[in-house]
């Protein structure tokens, strides 16, 4: 993920240093998608005991951006739609995955989903340019 290191080194979602950011690290999977994990600690609380919806959205956006980086694409979020299915509970790690749906330069379409304890919590589609 050289593109991330070159273009995104101080990102509050996936950049270094990790404090006070989220510190997500993403791994490329064999099918071209990416995966990351996040501990959901209490610093990011919205409603009592739940992850703030803005943080949930940031995790999804970060996953989609890093999916593009894994494909050697540097692009900015042009549009993002988030569907919240169930609240994300604090102090239970989540898994976020993203995959490239279509790439018709300069437009790239990506999807991401967050699961926690095997349950779909949120999903997003994004258009990047």
């Amino acid at each position: 993920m050289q593109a991330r290191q070159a273009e995104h080194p101080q990102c509050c979602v996936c950049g270094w240093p990790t404090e006070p950011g989220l510190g997500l690290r993403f791994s490329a999977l064999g099918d071209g998608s990416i995966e990351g994990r996040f501990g959901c600690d209490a610093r990011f609380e919205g409603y009592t005991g739940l992850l703030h919806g803005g943080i949930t959205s940031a995790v999804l956006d970060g996953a989609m951006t890093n999916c593009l980086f894994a494909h050697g694409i540097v692009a900015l979020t042009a549009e993002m739609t988030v569907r919240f299915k169930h609240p994300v509970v604090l102090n239970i790690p989540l898994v976020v995955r993203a995959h490239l749906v279509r790439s018709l330069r300069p437009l790239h379409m990506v999807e991401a989903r967050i699961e926690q304890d095997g349950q779909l919590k949120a999903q997003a589609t994004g258009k990047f340019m």
Side-chain angles (χ1 to χ4, degrees):
M1 299 231 216
Q2 292 176 325
R4 192 209 58 78
Q5 292 172 344
E7 301 292 334
H8 226 230
Q10 299 300 317
C11 174
C12 65
V13 174
C14 64
W16 284 298
T18 59
E19 289 292 332
L22 304 183
L24 270 76
R25 298 289 173 258
F26 296 97
S27 300
L29 303 177
D31 63 359
S33 64
I34 61 95
E35 179 179 282
R37 297 179 185 279
F38 181 58
C40 300
D41 73 56
R43 294 181 296 154
F44 305 110
E45 184 175 65
Y47 282 94
T48 303
L50 303 177
L51 189 66
H52 190 285
I55 301 298
T56 302
S57 298
V59 168
L60 290 162
D61 184 49
M64 291 188 290
T65 300
N66 276 271
C67 181
L68 291 173
F69 289 158
H71 288 272
I73 299 168
V74 177
L76 299 174
T77 310
E79 181 179 294
M80 185 170 97
T81 302
V82 178
R83 303 285 315 244
F84 298 94
K85 301 290 191 174
H86 298 280
V88 178
V89 180
L90 292 177
N91 300 313
I92 299 173
L94 64 76
V95 176
V96 60
R97 292 181 184 92
H99 69 277
L100 183 61
V101 174
R102 190 172 346 153
S103 186
L104 303 169
R105 293 185 191 270
L107 181 66
H108 311 280
M109 299 183 71
V110 187
E111 292 179 346
R113 58 191 291 128
I114 288 174
E115 292 182 2
Q116 193 178 47
D117 279 344
Q119 183 182 45
L120 177 64
K121 297 291 186 157
Q123 59 191 42
T125 56
K127 294 179 183 176
F128 292 75
M129 294 188 73

